[in-house]
Every structure is written in structure tokens, then in C-alpha cells.
């Protein structure tokens, strides 16, 4: 493809960063500008369509498989075969693209690293640009790291021992305020994808490892179609063969769960698989059915395990759909962070992780996620026991699975209720996570779990839902704004005592407290916590 006509000059509104010129080259910015010119208008239309669909769900309190696409679900088709580097995905580690994590994730022993510019990365300009730089350095083996606190050094293992990278750009709803063409900011998804693809596509082909992507927050097959159009254009633009890109779509919204086959179909020449993303999925259920009455009220987040009937329906349908179409089915996150001080905590948690991964492997999943390198061997053993020498189990078609539309939203099939401690935990985790996010940290260890933005979304959503549903807890107290404010004030005081006056003053605790209460108590439910939070994010 010939080079496009010159695009409007890029406006980078941020303080210069070390070696940013290696990432923000004129040629790379011209590519991002062209993506923006061609595809942002359609992005805008699809965001408006999300709002229309949400209004329809508010009116009907139901969802169904799409009648207009029945021929796709009934058709005989398959996605493109998996490339060698993505054929065995039995363990995938997730994490942001800071320099230390980049080395540790690539070295972790996992088959895949989800290099995350989305929920595990607070979108400061530094994280956006230096994350791109770190990946370029990793692929050219120019990366090392010395921990300033411990003096420990980190370096890459031999190439054949490194994980395959699957990069996750931001969701469609987030703009990148630091990069504009004309008077409009560029969607964060196009910034992340565009810079990464432009710099690394040919290099990854030479390495036999890509370029591969995870697509987050997808709500419909039409959004998958937009990504497919972007892939087609991008491959032509840089001169690589069509079908080189592979994308795995996170089924982490309730609406996407009703369109899994259609999503794979839209991406079929570029599709690698689907992933079951637990916390965002629950957040999406609350967001979409928040007007639906008591039967849609979720209990405490930790009570909603993957064995809950409506979650089983979702995961089993995902496995069946993927294998029917020749795609990988990737399971959910093991978020536990091992403790260096408490062996008993580790023993209990490792047993839970093993049980979770054993179940996924037995159900037919081809792989699963972990958040910490110490969990890689546990997840690996679960999948090794089922797969042996096979790279996946796509031959298991799971034709025994039959899921009716109502099964996916049968929230009241779960025998659990919201608890007072659940409200306390939602406030605690929400404040602690948002405070770290406002300081530029997207993946945060809280109470021995690796939390990301999806955690904060489900926390504030449950507070909002329980208050608006007038939930009465087991201790007789009703969920009210006043109760949430009291618990939040107590937590803020506890944090001040825990971290000390100096660290409290240096942090963003009051700001995080205020923001959590704003998005939890406002009558108008914000579509994404990260939208108002981004307005307060510095850098």
C-alpha cells in the first residue's frame, strides 16, 4: 500500500520522556493518525450503540441470542489455524509492561505473557510510552533491570525459553488525552495498538511470534468487526501478509457472551480464541441489569465462584463455542500473590488455585491465567495432567453442553446473599486500589490478591447496586449511602494508622476515598470508573 497523504501534525501534550523519540517517530505517528482518521468515527458510533443497547436492557431486563445472526451460529465454518507460537497456551501470565515485569513475565516459564496496557496499567503517559519502549527493547534483547532497593539484576533468558507475547491495548471507551490530531484525542486503543504494531509487527514475524493481541471490553460482534477492519488495513499498511495478526477476545461483558460465535466469525481470519474474564463479567452484569430488581443482585464478589450456575453456563458455552470453531478457550485468572511471611496462607491459596485450574482443564479449556510466576508451575501441572504432550484439547467439542439464553443471567440461581463484611471489603479494596491507580500503578497486591481495574469496577458496582436495591445485611443493617460513608471514613482512618502520617500525606488516600464514594453513591451510574479517574490521573 502506498503511503497515505500527510496527516495533521500530532500534538503531544506531555513532558518529554527518556528515549521517547524511539517510540513517537514521525512514521509511527503518521500510522496512528491514519488509524484515527479511518476508524475513530466508527468507534464513536459503536459507543453510542452500547448506550442504546443498555437502555433496551433496562426496559426489558433480558438478553437473547441474536435472531439476525442465526445463520452464522448454524453455519459450518472455522477460524484460521493457530500459528505455532500460539498453539500451546496452557499457562498465560498477565501483567503491566514496566521494565522489571517485562523481564520476569518473559522468563516466567509461562507459554504466553499478556503484556497489558489495559486493566493492569494505569494510563499515565509514562506507562504508555515507556511500556512500548520496554517491549521494543525486549524484542531486540536490549533490556535489563537493576532493582534500586535490593540491587538485584534481571536479564532475559535464551530466546527459546521466553513466553510468547500477546499484547492488550486499552478498551474502546478510553481516549488518550496526551496525543491529539487536530482538536480530537486519539482513542487509547488505537494509540496502544498502532505504536506496538508499527514498531514490532515485522520484528515479531522474524521471531516467529506475532503480532498477537488480546481485545478487551468487547460488547458486540460489530466491535469485533471494527478490529478486523483495523487488522486488514494495518497489515497492508506495513506490508505483511493478511492473516498474520491473531486476536484473542475477552468475553468479559454479558452482551458479548450472547455473541461469542459471531465475534469469532467476524475475526475468523485473525481469531485465536476467547477468554473468560471473571471480574469484568460480573461488573458488566451489574452495569447492564442494575434496574432489574432483586433477582439480579449479586452477592459478595468472593461468593461468586466459577462454579456458580450462571458462571458455569458462561464458561461451558465458551469452551463449546471455541472448540466448535477451532479456536482456543482460555480460562480465568488465578490472582493469588504468594506471601513471603505466611506459609499457611500460601498452602490454602495454592490448594484453591490447583482446584480452580484442575476444573478448567477438566472442562476442556486449553489454558488459563495466573498473576504471579510462583503460580505458573501449579497451573502448568493441572493442564499437563490433562493435555500430556498435546498442545491443546480443541478436539473436545463439548457437545454435551446446552445453554439457554436465561441460563447466562440466572443470577438468583446462586444460593448466596450480600453480607456486611462484603460491603466493608468492597470499600477497603476500592480505596486501596484507586489510590495506587492514581499514582500510576495498575496492578496492585491487596490482601494477597493481585488486583487490577476490574477489581475496582466490581467493588464500586456492588456498593452502588446494594444501596439502590435496599439490601438488608445479615446483621440487620441496610445498605445506605450513610453506611458506605461511615465504613469509608473508618477505612481511611485505619489506613492512616497503618501507613503512618508521612506516607498518608504523600499518597492519594483522600482523593481515592472521595472518588470511590462519588462513583458508588451518585444516582447516575458511571459507565466506567476509569473515565472520571482518568481526569484526576496526573502524568
Amino acid at each position: 500500500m502506498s503511503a497515505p497523504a500527510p496527516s495533521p501534525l500530532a500534538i503531544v501534550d506531555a513532558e518529554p520522556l527518556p528515549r521517547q523519540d524511539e517510540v513517537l517517530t514521525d512514521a509511527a505517528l503518521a500510522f496512528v493518525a491514519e488509524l484515527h482518521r479511518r476508524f475513530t468515527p466508527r468507534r464513536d458510533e459503536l459507543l453510542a450503540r452500547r448506550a442504546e443497547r443498555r437502555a433496551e436492557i433496562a426496559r426489558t431486563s433480558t438478553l437473547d441470542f441474536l435472531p439476525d445472526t442465526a445463520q452464522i451460529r448454524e453455519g459450518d465454518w472455522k477460524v484460521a489455524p493457530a500459528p505455532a507460537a500460539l498453539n500451546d497456551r496452557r499457562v498465560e501470565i498477565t501483567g503491566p509492561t514496566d521494565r522489571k515485569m517485562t523481564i520476569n513475565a518473559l522468563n516466567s516459564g509461562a507459554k504466553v505473557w499478556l503484556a497489558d496496557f489495559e486493566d493492569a496499567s494505569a494510563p499515565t503517559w509514562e506507562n504508555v510510552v515507556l511500556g512500548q519502549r520496554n517491549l521494543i527493547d525486549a524484542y531486540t534483547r536490549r533490556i535489563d533491570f537493576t532493582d534500586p532497593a535490593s540491587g538485584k539484576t534481571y536479564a532475559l533468558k535464551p530466546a527459546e525459553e521466553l513466553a510468547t507475547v500477546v499484547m492488550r491495548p486499552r478498551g474502546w471507551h478510553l481516549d488518550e488525552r496526551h496525543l491529539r490530531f487536530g482538536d480530537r484525542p486519539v482513542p487509547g486503543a488505537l494509540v496502544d495498538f498502532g505504536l506496538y504494531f508499527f514498531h514490532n509487527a515485522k520484528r515479531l514475524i522474524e521471531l516467529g511470534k506475532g503480532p498477537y493481541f488480546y481485545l478487551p471490553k468487547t460488547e458486540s460482534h460489530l466491535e469485533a468487526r471494527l478490529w478486523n477492519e483495523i487488522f486488514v488495513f494495518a497489515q497492508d499498511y506495513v506490508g505483511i501478509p493478511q492473516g498474520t495478526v491473531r486476536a484473542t477476545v475477552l468475553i468479559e461483558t454479558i452482551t458479548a457472551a450472547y455473541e461469542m460465535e459471531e465475534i469469532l466469525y467476524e475475526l475468523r481470519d485473525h481469531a485465536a480464541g476467547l477468554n473468560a474474564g471473571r471480574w469484568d463479567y460480573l461488573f458488566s452484569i451489574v452495569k447492564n441489569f442494575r434496574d432489574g430488581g432483586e433477582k439480579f443482585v449479586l452477592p459478595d464478589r468472593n461468593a461468586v465462584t466459577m462454579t456458580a450456575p450462571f458462571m458455569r453456563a458462561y464458561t461451558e458455552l465458551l469452551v463449546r463455542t471455541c472448540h466448535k470453531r477451532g479456536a482456543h478457550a482460555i480460562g480465568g485468572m488465578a490472582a493469588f500473590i504468594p506471601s513471603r511471611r505466611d506459609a499457611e496462607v500460601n498452602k490454602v491459596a495454592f490448594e484453591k488455585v490447583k482446584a480452580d485450574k484442575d476444573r478448567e482443564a477438566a472442562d476442556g479449556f486449553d489454558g488459563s491465567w495466573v498473576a504471579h510466576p510462583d503460580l505458573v508451575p501449579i497451573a502448568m501441572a493441572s493442564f499437563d495432567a490433562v493435555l500430556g504432550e498435546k498442545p491443546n484439547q480443541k478436539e473436545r467439542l463439548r457437545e454435551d453442553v446446552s445453554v439457554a439464553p436465561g441460563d447466562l443471567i440466572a443470577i438468583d440461581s446462586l444460593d448466596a446473599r450480600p453480607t456486611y463484611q462484603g460491603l466493608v471489603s468492597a470499600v477497603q479494596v476500592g480505596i486501596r486500589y484507586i489510590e495506587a491507580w492514581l499514582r500510576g500503578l495498575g496492578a496492585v497486591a491487596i490482601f494477597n490478591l493481585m488486583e487490577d481495574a476490574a477489581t475496582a469496577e466490581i467493588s464500586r458496582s456492588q456498593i452502588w447496586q446494594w444501596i439502590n436495591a435496599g439490601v438488608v445485611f445479615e446483621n440487620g443493617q441496610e445498605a445506605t449511602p450513610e453506611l458506605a460513608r461511615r465504613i469509608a471514613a473508618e477505612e481511611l482512618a485505619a489506613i492512616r494508622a497503618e501507613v503512618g502520617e508521612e506516607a498518608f500525606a504523600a499518597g492519594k488516600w483522600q482523593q481515592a476515598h472521595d472518588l470511590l464514594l462519588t462513583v458508588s453513591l451518585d444516582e447516575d451510574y458511571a459507565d466506567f470508573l476509569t473515565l472520571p479517574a482518568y481526569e484526576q490521573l496526573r502524568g
Side-chain angles (χ1 to χ4, degrees), residues 233-288:
F233 168 77
Q235 288 167 125
D236 278 348
Y237 188 100
V238 302
I240 63 175
Q242 288 295 328
T244 305
V245 168
R246 286 292 191 280
T248 305
V249 180
L250 291 116
I251 302 300
E252 55 185 353
T253 67
I254 186 62
T255 52
Y258 287 85
E259 300 183 36
M260 288 193 259
E261 291 200 67
E262 293 90 335
I263 286 168
L264 285 176
Y265 182 80
E266 293 293 345
L267 286 159
R268 59 194 179 280
D269 294 333
H270 301 106
L274 303 176
N275 169 276
R278 176 181 172 191
W279 295 134
D280 266 317
Y281 190 74
L282 296 177
F283 156 51
S284 174
I285 289 173
V286 174
K287 176 160 65 172
N288 280 286

Side-chain angles (χ1 to χ4, degrees), residues 100-292:
K100 180 180 175 182
M101 181 67 193
T102 295
I103 298 169
N104 283 346
L106 289 169
N107 287 347
S108 65
K111 296 290 186 180
V112 165
W113 170 36
L114 187 161
D116 200 8
F117 286 84
E118 202 233 358
D119 272 1
S121 180
T124 64
W125 187 236
E126 180 177 5
N127 287 344
V128 169
V129 175
L130 299 192
Q132 296 279 354
R133 191 196 71 188
N134 291 337
L135 292 174
I136 294 169
D137 284 352
Y139 300 146
T140 55
R141 299 192 69 88
R142 295 186 296 163
I143 192 168
D144 56 26
F145 178 77
T146 300
D147 191 310
S150 67
K152 184 178 178 181
T153 60
Y154 299 81
L156 290 179
K157 292 179 178 179
E160 63 273 12
E161 298 180 38
L162 301 181
T164 295
V165 175
V166 181
M167 181 270 209
R168 179 162 72 167
R170 279 169 281 180
W172 280 128
H173 59 288
L174 285 167
D175 284 337
E176 176 49 71
R177 65 166 176 251
H178 299 96
L179 181 61
R180 303 195 312 276
F181 293 98
D183 60 351
R184 286 214 55 186
V186 183
L190 296 182
V191 174
D192 299 340
F193 168 81
L195 293 175
Y196 181 78
F197 184 89
F198 185 84
H199 288 297
N200 299 303
K202 290 183 177 178
R203 188 176 289 129
L204 286 164
I205 292 170
E206 291 170 5
L207 295 171
K209 288 192 169 185
Y212 308 139
F213 298 92
Y214 258 112
L215 304 181
K217 305 287 191 291
T218 301
E219 296 197 15
S220 74
H221 69 287
L222 297 179
E223 295 179 16
R225 180 182 297 172
L226 174 59
W227 271 117
N228 198 69
E229 291 169 359
I230 289 167
F231 295 155
V232 170
F233 168 77
Q235 288 167 125
D236 278 348
Y237 188 100
V238 302
I240 63 175
Q242 288 295 328
T244 305
V245 168
R246 286 292 191 280
T248 305
V249 180
L250 291 116
I251 302 300
E252 55 185 353
T253 67
I254 186 62
T255 52
Y258 287 85
E259 300 183 36
M260 288 193 259
E261 291 200 67
E262 293 90 335
I263 286 168
L264 285 176
Y265 182 80
E266 293 293 345
L267 286 159
R268 59 194 179 280
D269 294 333
H270 301 106
L274 303 176
N275 169 276
R278 176 181 172 191
W279 295 134
D280 266 317
Y281 190 74
L282 296 177
F283 156 51
S284 174
I285 289 173
V286 174
K287 176 160 65 172
N288 280 286
F289 289 93
R290 61 185 185 266
D291 314 297

Side-chain angles (χ1 to χ4, degrees), residues 34 42 73 78 115 133 160 163 177 184 197 215 222 262-263 301 377 388 407-408 416 445 462 471-472 477 517:
E34 193 61 16
R42 180 61 177 150
R73 296 192 298 276
K78 283 194 163 42
R133 191 196 71 188
E160 63 273 12
R177 65 166 176 251
R184 286 214 55 186
F197 184 89
L215 304 181
L222 297 179
E262 293 90 335
I263 286 168
R301 71 163 183 154
D407 295 343
L408 293 168
Q462 295 208 289
V471 165
V472 177
Q477 289 188 273
L517 289 181

Side-chain angles (χ1 to χ4, degrees), residues 2 22 35 59 86 92 118 122 149 320 322 334 378 387 423 443 457 483 534:
S2 59
E22 298 173 35
L35 291 174
R59 189 180 65 79
L86 275 185
E92 303 190 353
E118 202 233 358
R320 174 169 182 171
C322 286
I378 298 172
L387 295 177
L423 179 63
E457 292 287 21
L483 180 61
Y534 188 52

Side-chain angles (χ1 to χ4, degrees), residues 207-457:
L207 295 171
K209 288 192 169 185
Y212 308 139
F213 298 92
Y214 258 112
L215 304 181
K217 305 287 191 291
T218 301
E219 296 197 15
S220 74
H221 69 287
L222 297 179
E223 295 179 16
R225 180 182 297 172
L226 174 59
W227 271 117
N228 198 69
E229 291 169 359
I230 289 167
F231 295 155
V232 170
F233 168 77
Q235 288 167 125
D236 278 348
Y237 188 100
V238 302
I240 63 175
Q242 288 295 328
T244 305
V245 168
R246 286 292 191 280
T248 305
V249 180
L250 291 116
I251 302 300
E252 55 185 353
T253 67
I254 186 62
T255 52
Y258 287 85
E259 300 183 36
M260 288 193 259
E261 291 200 67
E262 293 90 335
I263 286 168
L264 285 176
Y265 182 80
E266 293 293 345
L267 286 159
R268 59 194 179 280
D269 294 333
H270 301 106
L274 303 176
N275 169 276
R278 176 181 172 191
W279 295 134
D280 266 317
Y281 190 74
L282 296 177
F283 156 51
S284 174
I285 289 173
V286 174
K287 176 160 65 172
N288 280 286
F289 289 93
R290 61 185 185 266
D291 314 297
E294 185 178 356
K295 71 177 184 174
F296 289 104
V297 173
L298 284 170
D300 301 4
R301 71 163 183 154
N302 291 327
V304 188
T305 67
M306 299 307 279
T307 60
F310 70 100
M311 296 299 277
R312 288 289 287 166
Y314 151 60
T315 56
E316 297 222 292
L317 180 62
L318 188 146
V319 172
R320 174 169 182 171
T321 300
C322 286
H323 289 183
K324 176 182 177 183
R325 302 306 181 182
H328 281 78
I330 307 299
M333 171 69 82
F336 175 67
I337 300 299
S339 169
R340 303 300 183 206
R341 296 184 298 274
D342 196 330
E344 188 57 34
V345 166
N346 287 352
K347 180 175 180 292
V348 172
F350 284 153
E351 288 171 357
K352 288 182 178 179
V353 171
K354 180 181 184 302
D356 189 49
K357 301 311 170 190
D358 285 350
R359 175 190 51 76
E360 288 181 330
D363 283 349
F365 280 97
D366 303 294
S368 190
W369 281 7
V370 300
H372 192 279
D374 288 359
L375 300 182
V376 170
I378 298 172
M380 194 73 76
S382 295
F383 280 89
D384 285 350
V386 170
L387 295 177
E389 296 299 313
K390 295 187 305 179
N392 54 62
Q393 51 182 333
K394 288 194 279 191
E395 77 284 351
R396 283 193 63 196
L397 298 181
R398 294 303 314 271
E399 291 175 340
D400 56 304
V401 171
S402 178
V403 174
D407 295 343
L408 293 168
I409 50 174
I411 313 305
D412 54 357
S413 66
L414 183 60
D415 186 21
R417 293 280 302 156
T419 69
Y420 177 79
Q421 185 54 46
L423 179 63
V424 172
S425 296
V427 171
Q428 289 178 320
V429 173
I431 291 175
R432 289 167 187 260
Y433 179 81
I434 293 170
E435 192 276 336
W437 195 92
L438 291 171
R439 288 187 289 109
L441 300 175
V444 189
I446 303 174
F447 306 141
N448 288 322
L449 292 177
M450 184 62 79
E451 308 284 16
D452 68 11
T455 299
E457 292 287 21

